[in-house]
């Protein structure tokens, strides 16, 4: 992608902004900002509804019009519209989303919420984007807070927060049926029904998503990455009286994800160069359950109270057959591995003398050498490997919002969360943690133009100890719709259960042939967490501007940032080399721009751009952040029936490859009596066909075309 001259952009903005400000101030004095175009509000930054110019940070909003116009089938595709957001397909159905880079294979440093309920799996630091129990059609908007926000949402909101806000029951009407059909086995369906009564509203949706996967190996053979899933989502709102309301949800998802079997024998190429039998059916069965209940009480015009409680369960089941040398399951080799240092293990897995062995290690090593020269040393057995895991969570939060005066608002709260994970292979049983939080923030208008905001969160994590995360911001509001900001914030990320307390070993069942008449055995390679990892910590500075010009129907946000993560845990999980520490760090600095312009009554233009430089101490975190990335979108309503969209996404040197992606959509609406029919065609095309996930594969994940039929009545 051609480099964009950042200085040129900033200079042009500097020239243009004063003229726009003059127009903006004139509009403000004529009260045009409020009467003609009411200022939008965002919620995710502080739990308070605020105008974008008053937010202590940068917030991107993907509204319903953008969601529909994009033609996207996945939430991850929408997030490419957010500046600085990196969407990386791991194996197509296991795409990851990160902000400003680091750990491209996992979403360790982003908090992801659905209506305030965290879907970040703290046991394995994952967000399973394909398995979220929510359909795109259920989403009203997505708010993305771009920056540290532990002060509002606790540990793991290290680099940002993605808040997915769904349609409430009262905002949904009638019946909607929708289907997609296209190449690569795309077969999607969605149905929604709404019910209303005097004091209650309810929305029910049932959906499915199917495709055959999108990646190929270099030789053109299929890469196992298809998926089949179905979802159920029910949301209801009850107005108990003038002051009190209840909002509850039930969600369920089940399905299967193909996982390509990359298994290789521990001794491959050493004592047996022949490929051994392995199970091609290594699919993962996934089930997610979620329930939430929220009570809101407006005590009076100045005071409100809310209580939200959530219960969730994630279930991942995977069992498959693989083969290795029979010696791999011996108790002697198990003992030798467990008693060896990291350096010794590196030599052991290459069948080299481990060096400086203890007396017991010398005995075991001599035994191993003797076994390898025996007849039949190449014999192998095949058995079932279990990678099942189950996680559960319960949390409750009480939040109090109080307007002390017209100048001062306070928000404070307490929360408790219980997390539990079970896995025989990864944790050798069960791990749990309890998290207690207390938070408070203030919003104080010192004058008509000066807004001061600050707050902090204290968090006690039974696995990681205590932490305190503060934030302080100063906003200068030229008008209610135009504001400059300066923000300082700190945030933390807790090591997940697996990082800190891994006890990773495969207990193989149904060995064929059995070893010494035993069909069950432990594979010799294992890994253990040290339990001493500390929380990662970030310190971030931000200078920015947010403005909305009502006469021009133009809004944009600019920010310059400097972020440094210390005590960083850099790794890609590996059974063979599992050695984690807090020795790494990374620094990000750069700028971001986002703009939205309703150019005419029929045309909407949107732009995003990010310039990011990083300095990482660990090679795993280097070359995974594109210096230049961005998006362009053009939405047009040609007339009452026809509409179209054209979107372009680009990233330079993402995983050492450039991304150039084009999406297009054309739709037409028909009114058939009381029924509304919509037909649409969507095309996604990579312009340079370079893989940005697994660099050894061909990624054609966006060379897709599909048709959509929608009925609403």
């Amino acid at each position: 992608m051609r480099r964009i001259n950042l200085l040129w952009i900033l200079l042009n903005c500097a020239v243009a902004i004063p003229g726009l400000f003059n127009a903006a101030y004139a509009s403000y004095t004529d009260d045009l900002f409020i009467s003609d175009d009411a200022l939008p509000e965002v919620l995710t930054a502080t739990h308070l509804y605020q105008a974008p110019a008053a937010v202590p940070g940068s917030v991107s909003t993907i509204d319903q019009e953008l969601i529909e116009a994009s033609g996207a089938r996945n939430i991850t595709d929408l997030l490419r519209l957010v500046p600085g957001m990196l969407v990386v397909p791991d194996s197509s159905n296991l795409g990851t989303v990160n902000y400003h880079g680091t750990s491209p294979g996992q979403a360790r440093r982003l908090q992801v919420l659905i209506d305030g309920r965290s879907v970040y799996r703290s046991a394995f630091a994952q967000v399973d984007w394909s398995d979220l129990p929510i359909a795109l059609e259920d989403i009203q908007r997505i708010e993305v807070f771009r920056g540290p926000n532990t002060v509002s949402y606790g540990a793991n909101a290290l680099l940002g927060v993605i808040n997915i806000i769904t349609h409430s029951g009262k905002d949904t009407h009638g019946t909607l049926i929708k289907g997609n059909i296209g190449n690569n086995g795309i077969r999607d369906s969605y149905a929604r029904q709404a019910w209303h009564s005097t004091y209650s509203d309810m929305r029910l949706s049932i959906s499915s998503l199917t495709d055959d996967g999108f990646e190929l190996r270099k030789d053109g053979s299929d890469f196992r990455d298809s998926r089949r899933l179905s979802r159920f989502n029910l949301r209801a709102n009850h107005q108990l009286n003038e002051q009190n309301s209840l909002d509850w949800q039930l969600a369920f998802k089940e399905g299967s994800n193909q996982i390509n079997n990359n298994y290789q024998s521990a001794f491959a190429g050493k004592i047996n160069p022949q490929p051994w039998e392995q199970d091609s059916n290594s699919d993962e069965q996934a089930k997610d359950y979620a329930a939430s209940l929220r009570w809101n009480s407006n005590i009076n015009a100045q005071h409100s109270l809310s209580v939200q409680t959530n219960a969730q369960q994630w279930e991942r089941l995977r069992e498959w057959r693989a083969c290795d040398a029979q010696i791999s399951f011996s108790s002697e080799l198990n003992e030798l591995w467990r008693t060896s240092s990291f350096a010794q293990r590196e030599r052991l897995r290459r069948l080299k003398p481990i060096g400086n062995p203890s007396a017991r290690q010398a005995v075991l090593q001599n035994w191993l050498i003797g076994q390898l020269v025996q007849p039949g040393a190449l014999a192998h057995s095949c058995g079932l490997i279990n990678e099942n895991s189950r996680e559960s969570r319960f949390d409750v939060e009480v939040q109090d919002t109080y307007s002390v005066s017209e100048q001062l608002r306070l928000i404070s709260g307490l929360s408790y969360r219980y997390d539990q994970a079970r896995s025989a292979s990864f944790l050798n049983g069960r791990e749990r943690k309890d998290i207690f939080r207390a938070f408070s923030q203030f919003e104080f208008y010192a004058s008509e133009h000066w807004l001061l905001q600050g707050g902090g969160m204290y968090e006690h994590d039974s696995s990681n100890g205590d932490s305190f995360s503060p934030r302080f911001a100063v906003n200068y509001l030229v008008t209610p719709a135009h504001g400059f900001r300066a923000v300082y914030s700190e945030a933390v990320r807790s090591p997940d259960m697996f990082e800190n307390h891994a006890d990773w070993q495969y207990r193989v069942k149904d060995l064929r042939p059995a070893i010494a008449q035993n069909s069950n055995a432990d594979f010799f390679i294992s890994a253990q967490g040290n339990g001493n990892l500390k929380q990662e910590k970030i310190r971030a500075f931000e200078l920015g501007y947010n403005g909305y010009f009502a006469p021009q129907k133009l809004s944009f946000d600019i920010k310059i940032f400097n972020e440094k993560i210390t005590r960083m845990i850099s790794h890609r999980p590996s059974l063979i080399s599992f050695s984690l520490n807090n020795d790494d760090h990374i620094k990000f600095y750069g700028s971001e721009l986002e703009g939205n312009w309703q150019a005419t009554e029929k045309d909407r233009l949107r732009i995003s751009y990010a310039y990011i430089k990083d300095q990482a101490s660990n090679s795993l975190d280097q070359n995974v952040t594109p210096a230049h990335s961005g998006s362009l979108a053009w939405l047009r309503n040609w007339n009452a029936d026809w509409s179209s969209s054209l979107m372009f996404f680009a990233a330079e040197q993402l995983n050492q490859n450039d991304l150039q992606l084009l999406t297009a959509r054309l739709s037409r609406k028909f009114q058939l009596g009381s029924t509304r029919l919509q037909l649409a065609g969507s095309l996604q095309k990579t312009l340079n066909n370079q893989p940005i996930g697994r660099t050894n594969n061909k990624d054609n994940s966006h060379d897709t075309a599909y048709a959509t039929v929608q009925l609403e009545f």
Side-chain angles (χ1 to χ4, degrees), residues 11 26 56 112 134 172 195 219 228 257 318 333 351 375 378 389 431 464 524 537 557 600 624 664 685 697:
L11 286 174
V112 180
I134 184 173
T172 310
W195 297 272
D219 62 6
R228 309 283 189 275
N257 300 315
R318 184 180 182 225
L333 189 53
L351 296 181
L378 303 183
S389 67
E431 288 290 335
N464 300 288
F524 81 98
K537 186 170 184 177
D557 184 274
T600 70
V624 297
K685 175 68 177 177
N697 297 337

Side-chain angles (χ1 to χ4, degrees), residues 183-184 683-687 689 699-705:
N183 65 334
N184 292 327
L683 172 68
Q684 299 179 0
K685 175 68 177 177
T686 49
L687 301 183
N689 201 31
D699 175 27
N700 67 330
S701 61
H702 299 285
D703 294 343
T704 61

Side-chain angles (χ1 to χ4, degrees), residues 387-406:
E387 291 190 339
N388 296 345
S389 67
R390 292 176 174 85
E391 298 176 57
S392 57
R393 171 179 297 159
F394 172 79
D395 62 274
V396 58
E397 179 177 282
V398 180
Q399 178 180 296
D400 182 89
T401 305
Y402 183 57
S403 297
V404 179
S405 64
E406 292 184 359

Side-chain angles (χ1 to χ4, degrees), residues 39-57 59 143 145 152 409 441-445 451-454 471 475 480:
L39 290 175
E41 291 184 319
V42 294
L43 174 65
T44 302
T46 62
H47 294 290
L48 296 169
Y49 283 102
Q50 296 177 300
V55 170
V59 178
E143 293 184 357
F145 185 88
S152 296
R409 283 197 298 176
Q441 297 182 68
F442 70 87
E443 178 191 75
F444 176 60
Y445 280 85
L451 171 62
L452 306 180
Q453 299 179 78
R471 177 172 63 201
N475 293 59

Side-chain angles (χ1 to χ4, degrees), residues 615-680:
Q615 299 172 353
S617 62
N618 192 303
S619 60
L620 293 176
D621 299 307
Q622 297 170 0
N623 301 318
V624 297
T625 302
H628 302 277
S629 62
S631 68
L632 292 169
W634 173 35
L635 282 61
R636 179 171 175 83
N637 293 317
W638 296 90
N639 53 43
D641 299 327
W642 289 92
S643 63
S644 66
S645 69
L646 191 65
M647 299 184 182
F648 174 73
F649 308 91
E652 180 186 62
Q653 290 295 296
L654 176 57
N655 277 1
Q656 301 180 348
N657 289 286
D658 293 344
L659 167 70
Q660 295 181 18
L661 169 65
L662 182 70
T663 69
R665 183 176 185 267
L666 180 65
S667 69
R668 185 179 182 185
K669 296 179 180 179
F670 302 86
Q671 189 70 39
L672 306 175
S674 60
T675 301
R676 292 180 295 277
L677 168 66
Q678 182 176 1
L679 302 178

